[in-house]
Amino acid sequence: MDPKATNIYNVIILDESGSMSSIYEQALQGMNEALNGIRKNQEDFPAQKHFVSIVTFEGNGIKGIKPRRDREPVEKVADFTKEDYRPGGCTPLYDAMGKTLNDLEPKVQEGDKVFVTIITDGYENSSEEYSGKVVKKLVNRLRGKGWVFAYIGANQDAVEVARDLNIDNSLNFDATPEGTV
């Protein structure tokens, strides 16, 4: 690894709850398009070293959180497949965010960049260890370190939910095949 390179951590926290089944193919396609965009950035800006973490979440609490890629160099990251993503269960959004962010933070060095994207089609409904208040404080602290957050949501007011989590960048989408394009 080039000691002068800027490390960039691209973190995607993806809802894998049952309601995501209605946009299953679009979620897979969108994930792979995002990976291709990160790969292209790596090629276009060789002084940047991109790493990818993908975490899916479904079920109840921490046990439903599944790291699918963990700080892998983007050039080694395989496309997302149907084996990686099988929607079912509830939405432990706060646990997914809290665990993922707390696990990554000690591995990030000063000068590294972190971009976190949360994608969900529903409200939090099954976290057991983290509350919205705790996640909001965590996001606020990490933003103070320069971390950038984006929240993409459907079936909710994504702008309001993002604001409640101290996230400025947000986008609403319709959880239909047509609403994801």
Side-chain angles (χ1 to χ4, degrees), residues 14-24 27 57-60 64 66 85-92 120-123 125-126 155 175:
L14 177 63
D15 187 344
E16 193 177 17
S17 66
S19 57
M20 290 292 284
S21 295
S22 66
I23 55 169
Y24 180 76
F57 62 96
E58 60 83 24
N60 291 316
K66 301 171 205 143
Y85 190 67
R86 297 178 180 182
C90 298
T91 309
T120 183
D121 75 334
Y123 287 101
N125 64 16
S126 64
N155 301 327

Side-chain angles (χ1 to χ4, degrees), residues 104-125:
L104 179 61
E105 183 181 16
K107 298 165 184 151
V108 174
Q109 303 295 312
E110 188 173 332
D112 293 347
K113 307 288 183 205
V114 182
F115 297 98
V116 179
T117 303
I118 299 102
I119 304 168
T120 183
D121 75 334
Y123 287 101
E124 153 64 45
N125 64 16

Side-chain angles (χ1 to χ4, degrees), residues 7 10 14 17 69 72 78 85 90 110 142 152 167:
N7 292 331
N10 301 275
L14 177 63
S17 66
R69 312 285 187 273
E72 292 181 25
Y85 190 67
C90 298
E110 188 173 332
L142 295 174
I152 303 170
I167 298 172

Side-chain angles (χ1 to χ4, degrees), residues 13 55-67 90-103 118 124-136 138 165:
I13 302 172
V55 176
T56 62
F57 62 96
E58 60 83 24
N60 291 316
I62 294 291
K63 63 186 169 282
I65 297 164
K66 301 171 205 143
C90 298
T91 309
L93 174 63
Y94 299 150
D95 282 353
M97 290 179 68
K99 179 169 178 24
T100 301
L101 300 174
N102 278 317
D103 286 353
I118 299 102
E124 153 64 45
N125 64 16
S126 64
S127 288
E128 297 173 345
E129 294 190 25
Y130 291 87
S131 67
K133 184 177 181 179
V134 169
V135 170
K136 181 177 184 172
L138 176 60
L165 294 172

Side-chain angles (χ1 to χ4, degrees), residues 1 4 20 23 32 34-35 40 54 66 79 106 116 121 131 141 151 156:
M1 180 167 28
K4 297 176 193 163
M20 290 292 284
I23 55 169
N32 290 324
L35 291 172
K40 178 146 179 40
I54 301 171
K66 301 171 205 143
D79 278 354
V116 179
D121 75 334
S131 67
R141 186 170 54 73
Y151 185 93
Q156 59 191 283

Side-chain angles (χ1 to χ4, degrees), residues 152-168:
I152 303 170
N155 301 327
Q156 59 191 283
D157 182 342
V159 174
E160 180 181 328
V161 174
R163 189 178 314 121
D164 286 346
L165 294 172
N166 208 14
I167 298 172
D168 294 332

